[in-house]
């Protein structure tokens, strides 16, 4: 049981990291990047773009923390729900960024 609690605490810490990243995006003066080691495309409205990115990361972190709840349950099959849920959530975040946010705020 202690292993599950430690896993839950680590999972929640990672979720809080993403929420913190989202809050940092709200205050950023430069466009915040999405892809690692890649330059951000030229952005028209940096403030609105950063607000959208902050919202995206905060929602991602909160959903991630909710997906960590099965670590507290006794049945190990629920943990698979967490793993699959994170994969689906991450693909969804990439799709939202690429198809909605970047398309809306990129300079033409």
């Amino acid at each position: 049981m202690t292993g599950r609690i430690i896993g839950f605490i680590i999972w929640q810490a990672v979720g809080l990291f993403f929420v913190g990243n989202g809050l940092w995006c709200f205050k950023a003066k430069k466009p915040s990047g999405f892809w690692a080691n890649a330059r951000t495309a030229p952005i028209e409205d940096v403030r609105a773009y950063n607000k959208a990115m902050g919202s995206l990361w905060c929602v991602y972190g909160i959903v991630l923390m909710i997906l960590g709840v099965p670590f507290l349950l006794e049945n190990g099959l629920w943990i698979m729900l967490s793993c699959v849920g994170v994969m689906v959530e991450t693909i969804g975040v990439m799709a939202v960024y690429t198809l909605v946010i970047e398309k809306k705020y990129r300079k033409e």
Side-chain angles (χ1 to χ4, degrees):
M1 185 64 175
T2 51
R4 291 178 190 267
I5 292 173
I6 292 171
F8 175 76
I9 291 171
I10 292 171
W11 195 283
Q12 298 307 305
V14 172
L16 286 173
F17 170 78
F18 283 110
V19 171
N21 188 22
L23 295 175
W24 178 81
C25 287
F26 284 120
K27 300 282 185 182
K29 302 291 183 208
K30 296 180 182 177
S32 56
F34 181 80
W35 305 107
N37 299 325
R39 293 185 184 206
T40 307
I43 303 298
E44 284 184 20
D45 186 359
V46 174
R47 188 174 197 170
Y49 170 81
N50 282 343
K51 184 177 178 185
M53 289 296 293
S55 299
L56 180 73
W57 286 123
C58 285
V59 169
Y60 180 79
I62 291 168
V63 172
L64 185 70
M65 289 189 297
I66 292 169
L67 285 172
V69 172
F71 277 95
L72 297 176
L73 305 174
E74 291 295 322
N75 190 349
L77 291 176
W78 286 102
I79 295 174
M80 289 300 293
L81 173 70
S82 295
C83 296
V84 172
V86 168
M87 288 189 290
V88 170
E89 178 189 21
T90 303
I91 292 169
V93 165
M94 289 188 287
V96 167
Y97 174 75
T98 305
L99 299 175
V100 179
I101 295 175
E102 188 178 28
K103 185 183 263 188
K104 182 176 181 180
Y105 296 107
R106 180 187 275 255
K107 279 185 184 175
E108 300 275 335

